Amino acid sequence: MPFVRWLSMCALLAGIVWIGWQAWPAVPPRWNPWAPLDVRAPPNLLTPFKQWRLRHDPALCAAALASSALRYTALADSRPAPDCPIENSVRLYSAEVAFNASFTVTCPLAVGYALFERHGLQPAARQVFGQPVVRIDHYGSFACRNIARSARRSQHASANALDIAGFRLGDGRRITVARDWGGDDEEARFLRLVRDAACRFFNVTLGPDYNAAHRDHLHVDMGPGRLCR
């Protein structure tokens, strides 16, 4: 009898698993943890998990990036410097906003940026200024170097980081981290909303509140740690 009960329980469990598996196709993609990430869909509790899956699945990352408004070119793996390989990367040219210069980043960082721009940056600009951001000024993404005063490689060494310096609004107004972070006006409020939004879509976001080295930019990356300062 114990064996019969055990067999019955196994059969019941297998049935539950089978029913659940059959039901997945009926779940909307944004609530299906195994469906590709759609950058256009409003973020939810599954978004961080879907972003995590992109780190080791180039095809899945490419599918997510294709759902964005970014203009980009996929790049072959390369080694610009002996100790700094760049893998699974793209060259970004623009999205809904322009860049002061194109730049190379890993695919997961590009997806994080696309989410940030659509669901964080532009809503913040419209909330504070009633108009969109039309350009982002940055200090670059790739630099074959260590973290300052450290023996550890920076995420910049693999193009897995971006330093954002400022923003230009539709009316031509320019907002910079260096000049506007320390104020108490709408520019400073906007920058803090941007920092908080970046923390949602990047693994690490560092600004002037972190240390003096970041006094003039927001550093964002998709490294293995989690930090929002």
Side-chain angles (χ1 to χ4, degrees), residues 70-88:
L70 293 177
R71 288 184 56 245
Y72 63 93
T73 299
L75 301 175
D77 293 350
S78 63
R79 192 176 291 269
D83 298 326
C84 294
I86 300 178
E87 300 175 348
N88 187 24

Side-chain angles (χ1 to χ4, degrees), residues 119-133 169 186 189-190 192-194 196-197 200:
H119 303 291
L121 175 64
Q122 296 293 24
R126 291 188 175 91
Q127 176 183 334
V128 177
F129 302 112
Q131 59 180 308
V133 168
L169 301 176
E186 60 183 8
R189 176 173 165 240
F190 166 71
R192 280 161 175 75
L193 287 174
V194 169
D196 294 346
R200 295 170 56 199

Side-chain angles (χ1 to χ4, degrees), residues 71-75 89-94 101-105 141:
R71 288 184 56 245
Y72 63 93
T73 299
L75 301 175
S89 65
V90 298
R91 188 80 180 173
L92 295 188
Y93 298 101
S94 68
S102 63
F103 55 95
T104 296
V105 290
S141 54

Side-chain angles (χ1 to χ4, degrees), residues 195 204-208 210 214 217-221 227-229:
R195 188 270 314 276
V204 172
T205 300
L206 305 176
Y210 182 60
H214 296 83
H217 67 277
L218 297 176
H219 165 99
V220 296
D221 73 52
L227 184 59
C228 174
R229 292 283 299 276

Side-chain angles (χ1 to χ4, degrees), residues 94-147:
S94 68
E96 294 177 356
V97 304
F99 302 128
N100 61 305
S102 63
F103 55 95
T104 296
V105 290
T106 62
C107 181
L109 182 64
V111 172
Y113 172 80
L115 288 165
F116 160 72
E117 181 186 302
R118 183 180 182 93
H119 303 291
L121 175 64
Q122 296 293 24
R126 291 188 175 91
Q127 176 183 334
V128 177
F129 302 112
Q131 59 180 308
V133 168
V134 297
R135 172 171 147 159
I136 287 182
D137 294 324
H138 65 85
Y139 290 146
S141 54
F142 174 75
C144 186
R145 61 174 176 81
N146 291 349
I147 298 172

